[in-house]
Amino acid sequence: MSDSADIKNHLGKYWMIGAALLVFTGITVAANQLHLAVPLAITVALIIAITKGSMVAAVFMHLSHEKKWIYGALLLTVVFFIVLMSVPFLTVNDGIGTPIHVPAPAHTGGH
Amino acid sequence: MEIPYIVETRADTGLNNVKLGIWLFLASEVMLFGALFSTYIILRVGAPEWPRGELSVIFGAANTIILISSSVTMVMAWASLKMHAWGKHRFYLLVTVGLALFFLVNKFFEYAEHVGKHEIPSYNTFFAIYYTLTGLHGLHIVGGIVVMLYFLGPGAKLAKKNPDQFTNRIEATGLYWHFVDLVWIFLFPVLYLL
């Protein structure tokens, strides 16, 4: 986007997105007042945060119409980010170092 | 010898160095904050119980509103420059700096309240990760303020000498600032609400 007239057309969109982000912030706080169960509260809060983040990235950071080299760099970042966020699950789910419970030998008694 | 592709775009990528450079920097920032978010998950999943409601939602929500507003003024500062409205550009950039300072003042009072109750990083795991995440984010805010003040002050001379290069620099500053806003959009629910 470089044309002055083109940018003039986008000014309204910037204000609209700003207003929408504020509304979503209000919804996040309101949802918190409902005292939902923790898993549901996390899901709702993250869905709203991802929506807000996408709006910032797409409109304010102009990612909705960027060059393919930028998308390529970001795709690589997303892949590594997913790996990074998966690390905690590996610590929970791996069995390395977990003691194997071998049944104790039966006590035969006597000396 | 002049550095090539500062203003003009490369034929093969369609990008100038400024834009590619700032995006690669932001990619590294994603990994930096990603590592800390990942740490937060490990600590939270591994903890027998996790404190909730330790932080003031009002402080957090106010700072969210402030940063979102600053993102709008930042994009308007860039758009004004593109439309050759120099006065508007300066006004919006100044408002952005003002909002950023307001964010830090708010954060100072929030920190002061917790420190007053001896809720320092060594108090518990939650406060350790809270100060680490918000402290690093706060440093990014300070960095953004320094850059914006530079472009309001001595850096503004470039606008007369090479307007296109100056516009590119403001665009890169804007991309950085929106990223700082984006990080806070995730920090707010994770630390204040969940």
Side-chain angles (χ1 to χ4, degrees):
Chain A
M1 190 198 304
S2 57
D3 187 30
S4 176
D6 196 22
I7 287 169
K8 215 170 252 180
N9 292 334
H10 281 79
L11 294 183
K13 191 160 84 176
Y14 294 144
W15 289 109
M16 287 284 286
I17 291 295
L21 288 168
L22 294 178
V23 169
F24 274 117
T25 302
I27 293 171
T28 310
V29 175
N32 184 55
Q33 302 302 312
L34 296 176
H35 302 292
L36 302 168
V38 174
L40 186 60
I42 290 174
T43 309
V44 170
L46 286 185
I47 286 172
I48 298 173
I50 289 168
T51 307
K52 286 166 73 182
S54 305
M55 288 160 84
V56 170
V59 180
F60 291 163
M61 299 173 91
H62 306 129
L63 270 185
S64 56
H65 47 272
E66 200 42 274
K67 299 283 186 295
K68 63 180 180 183
W69 274 76
I70 302 291
Y71 291 136
L74 289 178
L75 187 67
L76 204 60
T77 311
V78 167
V79 170
F80 281 110
F81 185 78
I82 290 169
V83 172
L84 193 64
M85 298 310 276
S86 306
V87 170
F89 297 105
L90 293 176
T91 65
V92 175
N93 295 325
D94 82 323
I96 300 169
T98 307
I100 300 165
H101 298 288
V102 180
H107 186 66
T108 50
H111 294 282
Chain B
M1 184 187 149
E2 266 191 29
I3 302 171
Y5 308 116
I6 289 179
V7 176
E8 75 278 19
T9 55
R10 278 179 68 113
D12 50 358
T13 61
L15 293 165
N16 57 49
N17 286 345
V18 181
K19 196 172 239 187
L20 187 60
I22 192 71
W23 272 111
L24 290 177
F25 169 69
L26 293 181
S28 74
E29 290 278 274
V30 169
M31 298 311 286
L32 172 66
F33 279 100
L36 286 170
F37 274 110
S38 184
T39 306
Y40 168 86
I41 295 170
I42 288 178
L43 292 172
R44 182 157 184 173
V45 170
E49 55 183 77
W50 193 256
R52 285 185 79 186
E54 295 283 323
L55 305 176
S56 161
V57 176
I58 294 170
F59 266 127
N63 266 347
T64 308
I65 292 166
I66 290 166
L67 269 196
I68 287 171
S69 305
S70 77
S71 249
V72 177
T73 54
M74 185 72 226
V75 80
M76 291 305 290
W78 168 79
S80 304
L81 203 55
K82 280 283 202 185
M83 294 186 299
H84 311 291
W86 179 247
K88 276 188 180 177
H89 156 72
R90 306 263 304 168
F91 169 74
Y92 282 122
L93 199 58
L94 197 63
V95 172
T96 310
V97 172
L99 288 168
L101 288 169
F102 191 21
F103 178 94
L104 287 181
V105 169
N106 203 358
K107 201 82 214 143
F108 169 79
F109 283 114
E110 192 183 357
Y111 277 174
E113 193 182 304
H114 290 294
V115 171
K117 290 191 277 183
H118 305 291
E119 290 168 346
I120 55 176
S122 60
Y123 184 72
N124 62 19
T125 311
F126 171 76
F127 277 102
I129 195 76
Y130 160 72
Y131 281 109
T132 307
L133 278 166
T134 56
L136 183 69
H137 181 265
L139 283 177
H140 280 74
I141 297 276
V142 172
I145 291 171
V146 170
V147 172
M148 284 186 273
L149 284 177
Y150 172 74
F151 288 127
L152 279 167
K157 286 176 196 160
L158 184 69
K160 281 188 183 157
K161 212 170 76 180
N162 193 339
D164 290 336
Q165 190 181 359
F166 183 77
T167 307
N168 283 350
R169 286 184 175 186
I170 292 295
E171 185 178 11
T173 309
L175 287 171
Y176 168 82
W177 192 253
H178 300 313
F179 174 78
V180 173
D181 178 27
L182 212 153
V183 170
W184 183 261
I185 282 173
F186 284 92
L187 281 180
F188 172 56
V190 164
L191 293 174
Y192 290 77
L193 304 178
L194 300 177

